[in-house]
Amino acid sequence: MISKKISPKGRSVRVVFEIPLEEAHDHASVVGNFNDWDVSTHPMQRNTRKGVWTKAVSFKPGTKIEFRYFIDGHKWHNEPQADSYEPNPHYSDNCVLAL
């Protein structure tokens, strides 16, 4: 699940990324063009109360990001609520958010 919230002055968009706890056993991260596809930059936190892995990241309005979730050190997972999808060079699709 993704939620987007614009700051009161419109200078940033806070995006909260969430995936169900059962999607990952040990580790999940949000990886994309905004962090040079570095799997260690935006690790998700386990929230057992809500039953999700979660990570909030802020972006400038008007930004287009491509991303995927990297799970348990070997699996890639897409977000079903992405705005769209773009093919990547690995014969799969990246999720796209237009902020």
Side-chain angles (χ1 to χ4, degrees):
M1 184 172 127
I2 293 178
S3 64
K4 304 175 199 175
K5 186 174 182 179
I6 299 174
S7 67
K9 293 186 179 183
R11 294 185 181 149
S12 67
V13 179
R14 184 174 189 244
V15 178
V16 178
F17 300 91
E18 292 182 346
I19 59 172
L21 277 181
E22 58 268 10
E23 293 288 334
H25 296 288
D26 298 315
H27 181 267
S29 57
V30 181
V31 185
N33 60 353
F34 56 93
N35 62 14
D36 292 325
W37 298 94
D38 183 346
V39 299
S40 64
T41 303
H42 290 97
M44 300 177 85
Q45 288 76 42
R46 182 188 304 254
N47 184 327
T48 54
R49 183 179 57 82
K50 290 178 66 178
V52 297
W53 290 89
T54 185
K55 180 65 180 175
V57 183
S58 292
F59 300 95
K60 290 185 179 187
T63 302
K64 175 184 168 185
I65 64 165
E66 291 189 27
F67 74 97
R68 296 184 83 190
Y69 300 112
F70 189 63
I71 297 174
D72 292 333
H74 66 279
K75 295 186 290 186
W76 291 96
H77 180 77
N78 279 355
E79 171 59 58
Q81 292 182 330
D83 295 335
S84 63
Y85 301 91
E86 294 282 334
N88 65 37
H90 305 286
Y91 304 104
S92 59
D93 293 327
N94 294 335
C95 305
V96 176
L97 289 181
L99 305 172

